[in-house]
Amino acid sequence: GKYLAIGVEDYNGEKPHMHVTAVQISDGQEIPVGTQQWYRVEQVAWTADGAGVIAIAWDPPSGIFGGQLWHLPWPTGTARRITNDLNDYEGLSLAADGATLATIQETRASYFWVETLGEPGRAIQGLSAIGDPQSPHLGIGWLADNRIVYGKTVGGNADLWAMDLDGRNQQRLTTQPEADIQPTVSADG
């Protein structure tokens, strides 16, 4: 009851990031909880024994575009991921006994659809096997050679891929460790 744990956004002139901080209620002093930085920190909760904080946070280098559960030892220590999947977690509450937590797991299913304008109701959903749970965040574009470029997560890394309209001939276009997303094709193809 002496501290509040919160997610704090910083901007270092290059890009914004967030971290977890404990605020001492008696005087407002802020004490960082570990050194981990994230794209976004959502809800946080103290463990029952006060020895750490559980946080829902986005870690872009992981290629997962959603909140995962993390444990941060108090007052210092290395953040450890509790969940390791492609789902998104929202909301967090720890039971008073400290043995259980409750969260909401959001599972996505993504599909590619191809439809000819002027022919409503004739959409082709033949590309469901290509869909990535993170597809809504990764983007899609139409190439001049009548193929589709799209973001796809493989091995925890979001890269750009291209494929024929029927889902065949998938080709990886980027391989950098950073997330490559939201492609836009130039007018000249």
Side-chain angles (χ1 to χ4, degrees):
K2 296 179 183 179
Y3 298 94
L4 294 174
I6 58 172
V8 176
E9 184 173 20
D10 289 324
Y11 184 77
N12 63 8
E14 295 178 23
K15 62 180 181 177
H17 63 274
M18 294 187 76
H19 65 275
V20 176
T21 292
V23 178
Q24 192 166 305
I25 294 172
S26 63
D27 62 7
Q29 178 185 1
E30 294 184 14
I31 304 166
V33 181
T35 59
Q36 178 76 32
Q37 296 179 354
W38 289 281
Y39 171 74
R40 189 164 110 201
V41 174
E42 297 176 354
Q43 194 164 0
V44 297
W46 285 101
T47 58
D49 62 4
V53 173
I54 306 295
I56 296 177
W58 289 40
D59 184 33
S62 71
I64 299 171
F65 290 85
Q68 294 285 295
L69 294 169
W70 292 79
H71 176 259
L72 294 89
W74 166 255
T76 61
T78 303
R80 178 183 57 85
R81 189 154 59 176
I82 297 171
T83 55
N84 190 17
D85 54 37
L86 295 176
N87 297 307
D88 184 17
Y89 293 87
E90 299 284 341
L92 171 65
S93 183
L94 296 173
D97 67 6
T100 54
L101 67 84
T103 187
I104 300 167
Q105 180 188 62
E106 181 180 334
T107 303
R108 298 182 188 110
S110 298
Y111 304 94
F112 287 89
W113 291 79
V114 178
E115 182 173 49
T116 303
L117 293 176
E119 297 181 32
R122 295 193 55 213
I124 302 168
Q125 182 201 344
L127 311 177
S128 60
I130 312 303
D132 181 314
Q134 305 303 326
S135 290
H137 303 287
L138 304 180
I140 191 168
W142 202 279
L143 295 171
D145 63 359
N146 219 21
R147 295 186 313 145
I148 294 174
V149 62
Y150 59 99
K152 180 178 178 178
T153 303
V154 175
N157 191 45
D159 287 309
L160 295 180
W161 290 68
M163 67 178 168
D164 295 341
L165 294 181
D166 61 4
R168 293 187 180 132
N169 299 315
Q170 294 180 49
Q171 174 189 9
R172 190 179 210 158
L173 302 177
T174 62
T175 59
Q176 296 87 350
E178 297 81 20
D180 300 316
I181 61 173
Q182 300 296 334
T184 299
V185 180
S186 62
D188 64 1

